[in-house]
């Protein structure tokens, strides 16, 4: 089986099968390549495709991983389980619904559905109140707290009201033979914790786990991983404490540190070669993240040379910013005789796209928006 080219650290991460492994993967260090190559290596070493699971956070990442493995092992890819945490949870719930007195064809409530249930319980249509209640209940579920535990931990009157609503909400959703998005992980975890036969069945089915972006796991997701891997602890977790940005939705970077406590035999492998950026960009990034609280020390480096100086241009407002960027892009393209497709504009949120699109259209510069729909479409 032909693998992608791998550097020394990547090869070590792929080859290691003697127990639990944490791959500390800096930005742009080829973590998806490692996961994909490791799946291929597991198949080569005799693991059956149906006994391997790769868990990611987004459908996009799952599809990208599956596309890569199809090129390495076309015959095995249909049997592989490459999914998000929620898709895996749904699979477990569909198979084990009877143990929860549920039908296997249960309904999954979206955000609007769950808001409607809470609206009836709280007797309000105020969107801000409903969003606050939804967010708090979600945090409780992702911390593996039951309605009773949430009630006991409620820190003020507002949280107490939401905790009571949480109890009625769960009863109502169950009566509807439904689950919400958070239940797709919380309920499978409960099954694995309470039902030994179900836990052993899934541990025997999923004999090797690969977990992407482990620094973004919340308490429920992390506990689900531990119950699925079981005493064999055959897994590779890939993550980076410097890329943990989802604390606001319950992610806990402490899970990375807990891996070392829970698995003393954990193998730690660092991927520090960056394939995206020049050394000047990495030096700036290293200087900035040096101020972060550190679980693991690492330093990114690159073979892409020194690179151009980094320029910071203060602008009075977003319109001036967009106009300046589009003008500079147009001039640079003319000087270099380049193609428009050689350029990209990166922004932090989709709300910033409108002003850029407006100036690009004014300058008759063709563009496409990635992972989103153009305002003008």
């Amino acid at each position: 089986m032909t693998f992608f080219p791998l550097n020394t650290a990547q090869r070590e991460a792929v080859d290691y099968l003697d127990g639990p492994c944490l791959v500390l993967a800096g930005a742009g260090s080829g973590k998806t390549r490692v996961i994909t190559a490791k799946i291929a290596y597991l198949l080569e070493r005799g693991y059956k495709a149906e006994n391997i699971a790769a868990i990611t956070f987004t459908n996009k990442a799952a599809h990208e991983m599956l596309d890569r493995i199809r090129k390495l092992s076309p015959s095995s890819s249909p049997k592989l389980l490459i999914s998000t945490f929620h898709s895996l949870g749904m699979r477990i719930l569909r198979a084990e619904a009877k143990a929860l007195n549920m039908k296997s064809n249960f309904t999954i409530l979206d955000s609007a559905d769950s808001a409607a249930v809470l609206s009836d319980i709280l007797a309000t249509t105020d969107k801000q109140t409903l969003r606050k209640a939804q967010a708090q209940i979600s945090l409780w579920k992702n911390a593996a707290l039951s309605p009773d535990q949430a009630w006991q931990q409620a820190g003020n009157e507002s949280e107490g009201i939401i905790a009571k609503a949480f109890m009625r909400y769960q009863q109502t959703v169950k009566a509807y033979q439904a689950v919400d998005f958070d239940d797709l992980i919380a309920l499978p975890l409960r099954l694995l914790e309470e039902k030994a036969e179900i836990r052993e069945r899934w541990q025997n089915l999923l004999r090797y786990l690969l977990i992407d972006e482990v620094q973004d796991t919340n308490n429920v997701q992390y506990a689900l991983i531990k119950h699925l891997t079981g005493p064999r602890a055959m897994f590779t977790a890939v993550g980076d404490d410097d890329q943990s940005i989802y604390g606001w939705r319950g992610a806990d970077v402490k899970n990375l540190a807990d891996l070392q406590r829970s698995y003393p035999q954990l193998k730690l492998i660092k991927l520090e070669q960056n394939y995206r950026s020049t050394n000047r960009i990495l030096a700036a990034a290293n200087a900035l993240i040096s101020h972060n609280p550190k679980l693991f020390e690492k330093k990114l480096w690159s073979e892409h040379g020194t690179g151009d100086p980094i320029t910071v241009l203060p602008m009075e407002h977003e319109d001036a910013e967009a106009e300046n960027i589009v003008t500079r892009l147009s001039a640079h393209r003319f000087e270099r005789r380049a193609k428009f497709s050689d350029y990209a504009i990166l922004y932090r949120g989709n709300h910033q796209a409108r002003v850029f699109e407006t100036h690009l259209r004014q300058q008759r510069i063709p563009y496409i928006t990635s992972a989103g729909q153009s305002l003008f479409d």
Side-chain angles (χ1 to χ4, degrees), residues 89-102 106 183-202 224 227:
M90 184 179 68
R91 180 178 293 222
I92 295 173
L93 275 186
R94 297 279 189 212
E96 310 292 350
K98 189 176 180 182
L100 290 167
N101 297 316
M102 292 172 56
F106 56 81
D183 289 330
L184 290 176
I185 300 172
L187 291 179
L189 174 60
R190 198 173 99 196
L191 283 174
L192 296 177
E193 286 178 336
E194 298 176 358
K195 307 284 186 181
E197 69 278 10
I198 293 176
R199 181 170 64 248
E200 291 169 8
R201 178 158 56 245
W202 284 91
L224 185 70
H227 280 83

mmCIF file of all heavy atoms in Angstrom, residues 89-102 106 183-202 224 227:
data_model
loop_
_atom_site.group_PDB
_atom_site.id
_atom_site.type_symbol
_atom_site.label_atom_id
_atom_site.label_comp_id
_atom_site.label_asym_id
_atom_site.label_seq_id
_atom_site.Cartn_x
_atom_site.Cartn_y
_atom_site.Cartn_z
ATOM 1 N N GLY A 89 -22.348 9.008 17.737
ATOM 2 C CA GLY A 89 -23.342 8.877 18.793
ATOM 3 C C GLY A 89 -24.689 8.450 18.253
ATOM 4 O O GLY A 89 -25.377 7.610 18.855
ATOM 5 N N MET A 90 -25.084 9.010 17.111
ATOM 6 C CA MET A 90 -26.354 8.635 16.498
ATOM 7 C C MET A 90 -26.351 7.164 16.100
ATOM 8 O O MET A 90 -27.347 6.453 16.293
ATOM 9 C CB MET A 90 -26.633 9.508 15.272
ATOM 10 C CG MET A 90 -27.984 9.232 14.634
ATOM 11 S SD MET A 90 -28.325 10.287 13.210
ATOM 12 C CE MET A 90 -27.117 9.688 12.028
ATOM 13 N N ARG A 91 -25.222 6.688 15.583
ATOM 14 C CA ARG A 91 -25.110 5.280 15.188
ATOM 15 C C ARG A 91 -25.298 4.362 16.403
ATOM 16 O O ARG A 91 -25.991 3.341 16.325
ATOM 17 C CB ARG A 91 -23.752 5.024 14.529
ATOM 18 C CG ARG A 91 -23.545 3.585 14.094
ATOM 19 C CD ARG A 91 -22.203 3.407 13.416
ATOM 20 N NE ARG A 91 -22.152 4.115 12.142
ATOM 21 C CZ ARG A 91 -21.610 3.601 11.030
ATOM 22 N NH1 ARG A 91 -21.077 2.404 11.048
ATOM 23 N NH2 ARG A 91 -21.587 4.296 9.933
ATOM 24 N N ILE A 92 -24.649 4.735 17.506
ATOM 25 C CA ILE A 92 -24.774 3.933 18.727
ATOM 26 C C ILE A 92 -26.224 3.957 19.228
ATOM 27 O O ILE A 92 -26.798 2.916 19.583
ATOM 28 C CB ILE A 92 -23.821 4.456 19.828
ATOM 29 C CG1 ILE A 92 -22.359 4.258 19.399
ATOM 30 C CG2 ILE A 92 -24.075 3.734 21.147
ATOM 31 C CD1 ILE A 92 -21.340 4.896 20.332
ATOM 32 N N LEU A 93 -26.838 5.137 19.229
ATOM 33 C CA LEU A 93 -28.218 5.257 19.706
ATOM 34 C C LEU A 93 -29.196 4.478 18.835
ATOM 35 O O LEU A 93 -30.121 3.833 19.351
ATOM 36 C CB LEU A 93 -28.635 6.721 19.744
ATOM 37 C CG LEU A 93 -28.282 7.523 20.993
ATOM 38 C CD1 LEU A 93 -28.911 8.912 20.914
ATOM 39 C CD2 LEU A 93 -28.745 6.825 22.253
ATOM 40 N N ARG A 94 -29.027 4.538 17.518
ATOM 41 C CA ARG A 94 -29.921 3.787 16.629
ATOM 42 C C ARG A 94 -29.823 2.292 16.916
ATOM 43 O O ARG A 94 -30.831 1.579 16.916
ATOM 44 C CB ARG A 94 -29.564 4.043 15.162
ATOM 45 C CG ARG A 94 -29.728 5.470 14.685
ATOM 46 C CD ARG A 94 -31.137 5.813 14.332
ATOM 47 N NE ARG A 94 -31.232 7.118 13.680
ATOM 48 C CZ ARG A 94 -32.262 7.936 13.782
ATOM 49 N NH1 ARG A 94 -33.291 7.603 14.546
ATOM 50 N NH2 ARG A 94 -32.294 9.095 13.153
ATOM 51 N N ALA A 95 -28.590 1.824 17.166
ATOM 52 C CA ALA A 95 -28.381 0.385 17.398
ATOM 53 C C ALA A 95 -28.857 -0.053 18.776
ATOM 54 O O ALA A 95 -29.294 -1.193 18.955
ATOM 55 C CB ALA A 95 -26.909 0.048 17.225
ATOM 56 N N GLU A 96 -28.767 0.846 19.767
ATOM 57 C CA GLU A 96 -29.039 0.468 21.158
ATOM 58 C C GLU A 96 -30.267 1.168 21.728
ATOM 59 O O GLU A 96 -30.443 1.210 22.952
ATOM 60 C CB GLU A 96 -27.817 0.798 22.031
ATOM 61 C CG GLU A 96 -26.490 0.296 21.509
ATOM 62 C CD GLU A 96 -26.369 -1.228 21.534
ATOM 63 O OE1 GLU A 96 -27.248 -1.882 22.131
ATOM 64 O OE2 GLU A 96 -25.397 -1.754 20.968
ATOM 65 N N ALA A 97 -31.135 1.671 20.878
ATOM 66 C CA ALA A 97 -32.276 2.471 21.346
ATOM 67 C C ALA A 97 -33.160 1.700 22.322
ATOM 68 O O ALA A 97 -33.712 2.278 23.267
ATOM 69 C CB ALA A 97 -33.096 2.945 20.151
ATOM 70 N N LYS A 98 -33.284 0.400 22.112
ATOM 71 C CA LYS A 98 -34.162 -0.417 22.957
ATOM 72 C C LYS A 98 -33.766 -0.322 24.430
ATOM 73 O O LYS A 98 -34.626 -0.326 25.323
ATOM 74 C CB LYS A 98 -34.116 -1.869 22.485
ATOM 75 C CG LYS A 98 -35.146 -2.771 23.153
ATOM 76 C CD LYS A 98 -35.107 -4.162 22.552
ATOM 77 C CE LYS A 98 -36.135 -5.064 23.232
ATOM 78 N NZ LYS A 98 -36.077 -6.450 22.676
ATOM 79 N N ALA A 99 -32.449 -0.226 24.695
ATOM 80 C CA ALA A 99 -31.962 -0.159 26.077
ATOM 81 C C ALA A 99 -32.404 1.130 26.771
ATOM 82 O O ALA A 99 -32.371 1.215 28.001
ATOM 83 C CB ALA A 99 -30.442 -0.268 26.098
ATOM 84 N N LEU A 100 -32.803 2.135 25.998
ATOM 85 C CA LEU A 100 -33.289 3.402 26.555
ATOM 86 C C LEU A 100 -34.803 3.543 26.409
ATOM 87 O O LEU A 100 -35.346 4.629 26.583
ATOM 88 C CB LEU A 100 -32.599 4.576 25.855
ATOM 89 C CG LEU A 100 -31.107 4.777 26.148
ATOM 90 C CD1 LEU A 100 -30.494 5.762 25.166
ATOM 91 C CD2 LEU A 100 -30.898 5.257 27.581
ATOM 92 N N ASN A 101 -35.464 2.412 26.053
ATOM 93 C CA ASN A 101 -36.913 2.426 25.821
ATOM 94 C C ASN A 101 -37.298 3.431 24.738
ATOM 95 O O ASN A 101 -38.289 4.156 24.853
ATOM 96 C CB ASN A 101 -37.670 2.733 27.117
ATOM 97 C CG ASN A 101 -37.467 1.665 28.176
ATOM 98 O OD1 ASN A 101 -37.512 0.465 27.867
ATOM 99 N ND2 ASN A 101 -37.225 2.078 29.413
ATOM 100 N N MET A 102 -36.464 3.451 23.705
ATOM 101 C CA MET A 102 -36.719 4.340 22.569
ATOM 102 C C MET A 102 -36.855 3.521 21.302
ATOM 103 O O MET A 102 -36.359 2.395 21.215
ATOM 104 C CB MET A 102 -35.560 5.342 22.402
ATOM 105 C CG MET A 102 -35.445 6.363 23.500
ATOM 106 S SD MET A 102 -33.914 7.330 23.340
ATOM 107 C CE MET A 102 -34.086 7.975 21.670
ATOM 108 N N PHE A 106 -35.975 7.269 16.164
ATOM 109 C CA PHE A 106 -36.263 8.476 16.922
ATOM 110 C C PHE A 106 -35.988 9.734 16.087
ATOM 111 O O PHE A 106 -35.212 9.708 15.121
ATOM 112 C CB PHE A 106 -35.436 8.518 18.217
ATOM 113 C CG PHE A 106 -33.947 8.398 17.998
ATOM 114 C CD1 PHE A 106 -33.182 9.489 17.618
ATOM 115 C CD2 PHE A 106 -33.308 7.179 18.171
ATOM 116 C CE1 PHE A 106 -31.820 9.377 17.412
ATOM 117 C CE2 PHE A 106 -31.938 7.059 17.974
ATOM 118 C CZ PHE A 106 -31.192 8.158 17.593
ATOM 119 N N ASP A 183 -27.870 15.337 23.086
ATOM 120 C CA ASP A 183 -28.208 13.974 23.507
ATOM 121 C C ASP A 183 -27.501 12.917 22.666
ATOM 122 O O ASP A 183 -27.319 11.782 23.121
ATOM 123 C CB ASP A 183 -29.725 13.740 23.400
ATOM 124 C CG ASP A 183 -30.511 14.493 24.460
ATOM 125 O OD1 ASP A 183 -29.959 14.705 25.546
ATOM 126 O OD2 ASP A 183 -31.669 14.863 24.184
ATOM 127 N N LEU A 184 -27.112 13.286 21.446
ATOM 128 C CA LEU A 184 -26.461 12.312 20.558
ATOM 129 C C LEU A 184 -25.133 11.826 21.130
ATOM 130 O O LEU A 184 -24.607 10.795 20.698
ATOM 131 C CB LEU A 184 -26.233 12.926 19.171
ATOM 132 C CG LEU A 184 -27.495 13.173 18.345
ATOM 133 C CD1 LEU A 184 -27.148 13.868 17.037
ATOM 134 C CD2 LEU A 184 -28.243 11.867 18.075
ATOM 135 N N ILE A 185 -24.577 12.564 22.076
ATOM 136 C CA ILE A 185 -23.356 12.117 22.754
ATOM 137 C C ILE A 185 -23.643 11.747 24.207
ATOM 138 O O ILE A 185 -23.151 10.751 24.715
ATOM 139 C CB ILE A 185 -22.255 13.185 22.666
ATOM 140 C CG1 ILE A 185 -21.929 13.470 21.198
ATOM 141 C CG2 ILE A 185 -20.989 12.730 23.405
ATOM 142 C CD1 ILE A 185 -20.999 14.620 20.970
ATOM 143 N N ALA A 186 -24.490 12.538 24.878
ATOM 144 C CA ALA A 186 -24.768 12.293 26.293
ATOM 145 C C ALA A 186 -25.458 10.948 26.517
ATOM 146 O O ALA A 186 -25.122 10.217 27.463
ATOM 147 C CB ALA A 186 -25.635 13.425 26.856
ATOM 148 N N LEU A 187 -26.416 10.577 25.663
ATOM 149 C CA LEU A 187 -27.141 9.318 25.856
ATOM 150 C C LEU A 187 -26.279 8.088 25.552
ATOM 151 O O LEU A 187 -26.298 7.117 26.316
ATOM 152 C CB LEU A 187 -28.424 9.313 25.023
ATOM 153 C CG LEU A 187 -29.506 10.289 25.495
ATOM 154 C CD1 LEU A 187 -30.738 10.221 24.594
ATOM 155 C CD2 LEU A 187 -29.905 10.001 26.939
ATOM 156 N N PRO A 188 -25.491 8.077 24.452
ATOM 157 C CA PRO A 188 -24.574 6.949 24.256
ATOM 158 C C PRO A 188 -23.591 6.779 25.416
ATOM 159 O O PRO A 188 -23.277 5.653 25.813
ATOM 160 C CB PRO A 188 -23.849 7.297 22.954
ATOM 161 C CG PRO A 188 -24.801 8.151 22.215
ATOM 162 C CD PRO A 188 -25.510 8.953 23.269
ATOM 163 N N LEU A 189 -23.110 7.902 25.961
ATOM 164 C CA LEU A 189 -22.202 7.817 27.104
ATOM 165 C C LEU A 189 -22.901 7.141 28.281
ATOM 166 O O LEU A 189 -22.318 6.281 28.947
ATOM 167 C CB LEU A 189 -21.719 9.212 27.506
ATOM 168 C CG LEU A 189 -20.880 9.274 28.786
ATOM 169 C CD1 LEU A 189 -19.616 8.428 28.664
ATOM 170 C CD2 LEU A 189 -20.525 10.720 29.128
ATOM 171 N N ARG A 190 -24.145 7.517 28.527
ATOM 172 C CA ARG A 190 -24.883 6.897 29.631
ATOM 173 C C ARG A 190 -25.014 5.389 29.428
ATOM 174 O O ARG A 190 -24.857 4.602 30.372
ATOM 175 C CB ARG A 190 -26.279 7.532 29.736
ATOM 176 C CG ARG A 190 -26.944 7.292 31.089
ATOM 177 C CD ARG A 190 -28.228 8.072 31.181
ATOM 178 N NE ARG A 190 -29.368 7.201 30.900
ATOM 179 C CZ ARG A 190 -30.576 7.649 30.609
ATOM 180 N NH1 ARG A 190 -30.804 8.939 30.504
ATOM 181 N NH2 ARG A 190 -31.573 6.813 30.410
ATOM 182 N N LEU A 191 -25.291 4.990 28.203
ATOM 183 C CA LEU A 191 -25.392 3.560 27.906
ATOM 184 C C LEU A 191 -24.077 2.837 28.174
ATOM 185 O O LEU A 191 -24.052 1.757 28.775
ATOM 186 C CB LEU A 191 -25.805 3.357 26.442
ATOM 187 C CG LEU A 191 -27.275 3.592 26.092
ATOM 188 C CD1 LEU A 191 -27.476 3.497 24.591
ATOM 189 C CD2 LEU A 191 -28.155 2.580 26.811
ATOM 190 N N LEU A 192 -22.972 3.412 27.720
ATOM 191 C CA LEU A 192 -21.664 2.783 27.895
ATOM 192 C C LEU A 192 -21.272 2.730 29.367
ATOM 193 O O LEU A 192 -20.597 1.788 29.810
ATOM 194 C CB LEU A 192 -20.601 3.532 27.094
ATOM 195 C CG LEU A 192 -20.763 3.515 25.569
ATOM 196 C CD1 LEU A 192 -19.675 4.355 24.911
ATOM 197 C CD2 LEU A 192 -20.736 2.115 25.008
ATOM 198 N N GLU A 193 -21.687 3.733 30.132
ATOM 199 C CA GLU A 193 -21.367 3.766 31.559
ATOM 200 C C GLU A 193 -22.184 2.739 32.337
ATOM 201 O O GLU A 193 -21.672 2.071 33.250
ATOM 202 C CB GLU A 193 -21.635 5.160 32.140
ATOM 203 C CG GLU A 193 -20.593 6.198 31.744
ATOM 204 C CD GLU A 193 -20.929 7.578 32.291
ATOM 205 O OE1 GLU A 193 -22.123 7.854 32.563
ATOM 206 O OE2 GLU A 193 -19.998 8.387 32.427
ATOM 207 N N GLU A 194 -23.454 2.582 31.981
ATOM 208 C CA GLU A 194 -24.373 1.788 32.803
ATOM 209 C C GLU A 194 -24.567 0.355 32.314
ATOM 210 O O GLU A 194 -24.972 -0.503 33.107
ATOM 211 C CB GLU A 194 -25.735 2.496 32.869
ATOM 212 C CG GLU A 194 -25.674 3.876 33.523
ATOM 213 C CD GLU A 194 -27.004 4.603 33.483
ATOM 214 O OE1 GLU A 194 -27.967 4.040 32.915
ATOM 215 O OE2 GLU A 194 -27.083 5.737 34.007
ATOM 216 N N LYS A 195 -24.316 0.079 31.043
ATOM 217 C CA LYS A 195 -24.609 -1.244 30.476
ATOM 218 C C LYS A 195 -23.311 -1.911 30.017
ATOM 219 O O LYS A 195 -22.773 -1.588 28.946
ATOM 220 C CB LYS A 195 -25.569 -1.118 29.287
ATOM 221 C CG LYS A 195 -26.851 -0.346 29.582
ATOM 222 C CD LYS A 195 -27.832 -1.173 30.394
ATOM 223 C CE LYS A 195 -29.153 -0.443 30.564
ATOM 224 N NZ LYS A 195 -30.117 -1.214 31.377
ATOM 225 N N ALA A 196 -22.808 -2.840 30.829
ATOM 226 C CA ALA A 196 -21.526 -3.486 30.536
ATOM 227 C C ALA A 196 -21.552 -4.223 29.198
ATOM 228 O O ALA A 196 -20.571 -4.186 28.441
ATOM 229 C CB ALA A 196 -21.161 -4.454 31.662
ATOM 230 N N GLU A 197 -22.679 -4.891 28.891
ATOM 231 C CA GLU A 197 -22.737 -5.667 27.647
ATOM 232 C C GLU A 197 -22.680 -4.759 26.419
ATOM 233 O O GLU A 197 -22.057 -5.102 25.395
ATOM 234 C CB GLU A 197 -23.987 -6.556 27.614
ATOM 235 C CG GLU A 197 -25.330 -5.837 27.480
ATOM 236 C CD GLU A 197 -25.881 -5.284 28.800
ATOM 237 O OE1 GLU A 197 -25.142 -5.294 29.808
ATOM 238 O OE2 GLU A 197 -27.047 -4.842 28.809
ATOM 239 N N ILE A 198 -23.313 -3.579 26.510
ATOM 240 C CA ILE A 198 -23.264 -2.627 25.395
ATOM 241 C C ILE A 198 -21.855 -2.047 25.271
ATOM 242 O O ILE A 198 -21.313 -1.925 24.164
ATOM 243 C CB ILE A 198 -24.302 -1.507 25.603
ATOM 244 C CG1 ILE A 198 -25.721 -2.073 25.495
ATOM 245 C CG2 ILE A 198 -24.094 -0.379 24.589
ATOM 246 C CD1 ILE A 198 -26.828 -1.060 25.777
ATOM 247 N N ARG A 199 -21.266 -1.707 26.417
ATOM 248 C CA ARG A 199 -19.891 -1.171 26.406
ATOM 249 C C ARG A 199 -18.922 -2.162 25.772
ATOM 250 O O ARG A 199 -18.130 -1.796 24.896
ATOM 251 C CB ARG A 199 -19.468 -0.852 27.839
ATOM 252 C CG ARG A 199 -18.059 -0.253 27.938
ATOM 253 C CD ARG A 199 -17.789 0.265 29.331
ATOM 254 N NE ARG A 199 -17.796 -0.794 30.341
ATOM 255 C CZ ARG A 199 -18.705 -0.923 31.299
ATOM 256 N NH1 ARG A 199 -19.718 -0.058 31.373
ATOM 257 N NH2 ARG A 199 -18.622 -1.892 32.191
ATOM 258 N N GLU A 200 -19.001 -3.438 26.155
ATOM 259 C CA GLU A 200 -18.089 -4.453 25.610
ATOM 260 C C GLU A 200 -18.348 -4.674 24.123
ATOM 261 O O GLU A 200 -17.404 -4.896 23.345
ATOM 262 C CB GLU A 200 -18.236 -5.756 26.386
ATOM 263 C CG GLU A 200 -17.706 -5.679 27.815
ATOM 264 C CD GLU A 200 -18.087 -6.882 28.648
ATOM 265 O OE1 GLU A 200 -18.635 -7.865 28.076
ATOM 266 O OE2 GLU A 200 -17.853 -6.854 29.872
ATOM 267 N N ARG A 201 -19.616 -4.609 23.721
ATOM 268 C CA ARG A 201 -19.941 -4.812 22.303
ATOM 269 C C ARG A 201 -19.279 -3.750 21.434
ATOM 270 O O ARG A 201 -18.675 -4.061 20.398
ATOM 271 C CB ARG A 201 -21.463 -4.800 22.124
ATOM 272 C CG ARG A 201 -21.906 -4.957 20.682
ATOM 273 C CD ARG A 201 -23.324 -5.460 20.550
ATOM 274 N NE ARG A 201 -24.312 -4.648 21.234
ATOM 275 C CZ ARG A 201 -25.035 -5.075 22.265
ATOM 276 N NH1 ARG A 201 -24.844 -6.293 22.755
ATOM 277 N NH2 ARG A 201 -25.936 -4.287 22.823
ATOM 278 N N TRP A 202 -19.349 -2.492 21.866
ATOM 279 C CA TRP A 202 -18.775 -1.412 21.059
ATOM 280 C C TRP A 202 -17.250 -1.372 21.165
ATOM 281 O O TRP A 202 -16.569 -1.010 20.204
ATOM 282 C CB TRP A 202 -19.413 -0.079 21.428
ATOM 283 C CG TRP A 202 -20.781 0.026 20.837
ATOM 284 C CD1 TRP A 202 -21.958 -0.347 21.412
ATOM 285 C CD2 TRP A 202 -21.113 0.444 19.511
ATOM 286 N NE1 TRP A 202 -23.009 -0.168 20.537
ATOM 287 C CE2 TRP A 202 -22.515 0.319 19.367
ATOM 288 C CE3 TRP A 202 -20.364 0.917 18.436
ATOM 289 C CZ2 TRP A 202 -23.172 0.651 18.183
ATOM 290 C CZ3 TRP A 202 -21.023 1.260 17.263
ATOM 291 C CH2 TRP A 202 -22.406 1.126 17.140
ATOM 292 N N LEU A 224 -16.696 9.671 26.450
ATOM 293 C CA LEU A 224 -17.139 8.702 25.433
ATOM 294 C C LEU A 224 -15.934 7.991 24.819
ATOM 295 O O LEU A 224 -15.939 6.763 24.636
ATOM 296 C CB LEU A 224 -17.938 9.425 24.343
ATOM 297 C CG LEU A 224 -18.576 8.530 23.269
ATOM 298 C CD1 LEU A 224 -19.726 7.731 23.867
ATOM 299 C CD2 LEU A 224 -19.084 9.375 22.097
ATOM 300 N N HIS A 227 -14.520 5.395 27.293
ATOM 301 C CA HIS A 227 -15.345 4.191 27.406
ATOM 302 C C HIS A 227 -15.274 3.334 26.148
ATOM 303 O O HIS A 227 -15.376 2.106 26.221
ATOM 304 C CB HIS A 227 -16.790 4.578 27.703
ATOM 305 C CG HIS A 227 -17.042 4.901 29.144
ATOM 306 N ND1 HIS A 227 -16.781 6.142 29.677
ATOM 307 C CD2 HIS A 227 -17.495 4.142 30.169
ATOM 308 C CE1 HIS A 227 -17.082 6.143 30.963
ATOM 309 N NE2 HIS A 227 -17.510 4.935 31.289
#
